[in-house]
Amino acid sequence: MKPAKISVALALFLLGIYLTEAKQWSEFLQRKESAEVKNDLESFRGLEAIYDIPDINRAQTKILSSSPSKCCGSSRRSNETGLNMEKDLNEMVTITKNEYNFLKYLRKLYAWLIYFPNHFNVREALLEAGFTDVQSEGFCKCCDSEHPTKPEQFHLALTSNPGEVIISYSTLINPEPYGQCVTIEDETDGLGDTFTGRVFCTNDTRTFTIGSGQPPLICRNYSGYFHHVKVTGLVPGKKYYYSANAYSKRYSFIAPYGSNTSHVRFGAIADIGTQGGKLTRAALRKHKDEMDFLMVIGDQSYSNGCEAVFDKYMRDMEDIIAEVPYMIAAGNHEGPWNFTGIRNRFRMPLEESGAGPEALWYSFDQGPVHFVVLSFEDYLNYEKGELYEETYAEPLYIFQDQVQWLEKDLEAFAKRRESNPNLWLIVMAHRPIRCSVNVSDCTELAPQLSASLMPYLVKYKADLYTCGHVHTYERMDPTIPETGQLCSQCKPVNNVYYSPPYPVQVMNGYGGTVIEGHNIYTGPKPDWSAVRYNSSYYPYGGYAIVDVTNDRLNYTFYHTSGQVWDTFVIQK
């Protein structure tokens, strides 16, 4: 047999294997009965939907029936717009870009599963990455290789102080000695032509090097530099522009009022993936000018320790969070490598709120609201946060440094509230402390977490507890902690809660992930479950806009279609 024919035959054989493996993988999942594997099957179907994959059997028959005489003439490409897989395949067949992406994914996934059949987190990261950040050389670079000092992934954060923001960004190398600075300009400065504004610099530059996905799945030896610049002394309510250096994009933001105002409006999401969160991001862009800040209550990007995926997420979010302050809570999918990624990427007001430099909790004030952000994620047992494994939850009392900080923080707030009863207390953490979904997070873990946190919520009269983690939406009426029963002031009247004695709870894990499977509300709805929505498989998504004044909290949950799916008011 001639070498050319051998090459074509080998290529056809390999391509047939790829397609056969797709069928075998689907059949393998169908044979399994565990809930997790059923979710994996839905993920496989979701992948087909994302890339509009043709039927596997038809695709295999079509390609394997192709003959060299039909595909290998002087014009070696079909009339389809497509992307060739390998050099050999370029000689015999052209497939569509969607098919190429699918087969490339399948090849990598199948090789991974041979050696690590129970390892699902990297697969999930690949799904969320959309395969656009797979680097064939096997190394990760957070930023632009051709311009290593070019800043990207800009995002803002708040402290409690008026006219103060933290501007964060990434570069491939550390641009010393002048690169860790931002220039702030207003309308009276020479925008775009000269740097005539004020310059703020920082020595808070962080870097880390970790493995970031088993080669060749994503990359290894991830590294980058993350700069955090505190900008102070701005005029609250005034618009400012900023940039970092000559390679930098220019963004704008409104200087925050801090607590020197009686009104705040913020966005709230959780469990927003990279690929799966596309619709939610598009919807949030429409609300960008309405939000004083955006709160993500855990599980950003679903990178699962694969930091190249997190880079893609931050680039996708940049046009929002470079202009709207972006506040975060730690979730289980940020846990790999013991939260190294988010500890370095983000600069939350830890120091300003009295938390330690490595804390996963903090507080801040905006408008009439004191926000407390907590973590149930186990950072103490490092092995649970090692490599690509997501973290487990522990009751609050396990984290004594967090408990001590929380008691001190809430006691200080209580004294402020004595002189100003119009202040609100909103507490957030990634995990639910109550929910009616038929999963262990609600049936087993939530009661333990509630027992550790609820005494603080009751003692310090929290108005709202909101979380994510379970990929559904549920609003829960306040209940008597000792009995779990509704009280006389616990049910809303026309969706208005009038001075409820215990906090309203909202679980909003509807931000959008590629991997779904939480359509699991079963049985009768408890009397304390006011509103709940099952997840729908990809695409889907939802987000909240919360508007708070001195005497009224208005919570509105939107589906990404623009429809209002829930709204309620807490009235003082």
Side-chain angles (χ1 to χ4, degrees), residues 210-255:
I210 59 174
S212 188
Q214 181 71 20
L217 282 169
I218 296 186
C219 55
R220 61 181 180 267
N221 296 336
Y222 177 88
S223 63
Y225 287 85
F226 305 89
H227 314 282
H228 307 286
V229 184
K230 182 186 283 190
V231 176
T232 62
L234 305 181
V235 178
K238 186 175 181 178
K239 186 174 185 178
Y240 290 89
Y241 301 82
Y242 73 93
S243 56
N245 59 35
Y247 294 110
S248 174
K249 293 182 181 178
R250 184 182 298 272
Y251 286 108
S252 65
F253 65 94
I254 303 298

Side-chain angles (χ1 to χ4, degrees), residues 16-300:
I17 290 177
Y18 296 151
L19 293 169
T20 302
E21 287 172 349
K23 183 179 180 182
Q24 290 175 344
W25 171 244
S26 181
E27 291 175 348
F28 165 78
L29 293 175
Q30 290 177 17
R31 290 195 300 268
K32 301 298 181 180
E33 296 182 356
S34 71
E36 184 171 24
V37 173
K38 288 180 180 177
N39 291 347
D40 292 337
L41 180 57
E42 294 299 341
S43 303
F44 185 88
R45 292 170 179 162
L47 183 69
E48 291 177 308
I50 295 169
Y51 289 111
D52 191 25
I53 301 302
D55 179 78
I56 292 297
N57 292 324
R58 287 191 291 106
Q60 184 175 4
T61 301
K62 173 184 175 183
I63 295 177
L64 293 181
S65 63
S66 300
S67 65
S69 61
K70 291 183 179 180
C71 65
C72 301
S74 58
S75 177
R76 300 180 190 272
R77 295 178 181 270
S78 71
N79 291 328
E80 295 183 66
T81 299
L83 183 65
N84 300 306
M85 278 190 67
E86 307 284 357
K87 183 178 179 180
D88 287 337
L89 289 179
N90 195 33
E91 299 294 318
M92 47 140 264
V93 66
T94 298
I95 61 174
T96 67
K97 185 175 181 180
N98 287 343
E99 291 171 303
Y100 171 82
N101 284 334
F102 179 68
L103 293 170
K104 180 173 66 172
Y105 158 77
L106 193 66
R107 176 173 53 187
K108 296 178 184 298
L109 171 62
Y110 193 80
W112 176 263
L113 290 175
I114 289 174
Y115 298 103
F116 300 94
N118 296 319
H119 195 101
F120 294 105
N121 285 328
V122 171
R123 187 247 14 246
E124 184 173 54
L126 276 171
L127 285 167
E128 286 292 355
F131 319 110
T132 59
D133 282 348
V134 175
Q135 300 186 21
S136 59
E137 72 271 20
F139 291 91
C140 270
K141 299 178 177 65
C142 76
C143 311
D144 190 338
S145 299
E146 295 183 4
H147 304 95
T149 61
K150 180 180 179 180
E152 65 169 56
Q153 303 176 43
F154 281 104
H155 54 283
L156 306 175
L158 296 167
T159 68
S160 296
N161 299 323
E164 185 170 284
V165 297
I166 298 165
I167 299 175
S168 300
Y169 59 94
S170 307
T171 57
L172 183 58
I173 66 172
N174 192 10
E176 296 177 315
Y178 304 110
Q180 304 102 320
C181 302
V182 296
T183 301
I184 304 295
E185 301 174 288
D186 61 24
E187 291 90 339
T188 64
D189 293 315
L191 296 179
D193 298 324
T194 58
F195 292 100
T196 59
R198 286 176 287 172
V199 176
F200 295 83
C201 298
T202 184
N203 58 6
D204 188 354
T205 291
R206 310 173 190 182
T207 186
F208 61 93
T209 300
I210 59 174
S212 188
Q214 181 71 20
L217 282 169
I218 296 186
C219 55
R220 61 181 180 267
N221 296 336
Y222 177 88
S223 63
Y225 287 85
F226 305 89
H227 314 282
H228 307 286
V229 184
K230 182 186 283 190
V231 176
T232 62
L234 305 181
V235 178
K238 186 175 181 178
K239 186 174 185 178
Y240 290 89
Y241 301 82
Y242 73 93
S243 56
N245 59 35
Y247 294 110
S248 174
K249 293 182 181 178
R250 184 182 298 272
Y251 286 108
S252 65
F253 65 94
I254 303 298
Y257 285 94
S259 57
N260 291 348
T261 180
S262 61
H263 175 242
V264 65
R265 180 186 290 116
F266 64 96
I269 57 175
D271 303 271
I272 178 172
T274 305
Q275 285 288 93
K278 285 181 178 179
L279 295 179
T280 300
R281 286 194 298 273
L284 285 170
R285 289 185 183 101
K286 300 176 183 178
H287 293 273
K288 189 167 72 170
D289 294 337
E290 303 173 25
M291 297 185 292
D292 296 310
F293 68 94
L294 175 62
M295 185 78 215
V296 180
I297 316 171
D299 284 4
Q300 314 158 72

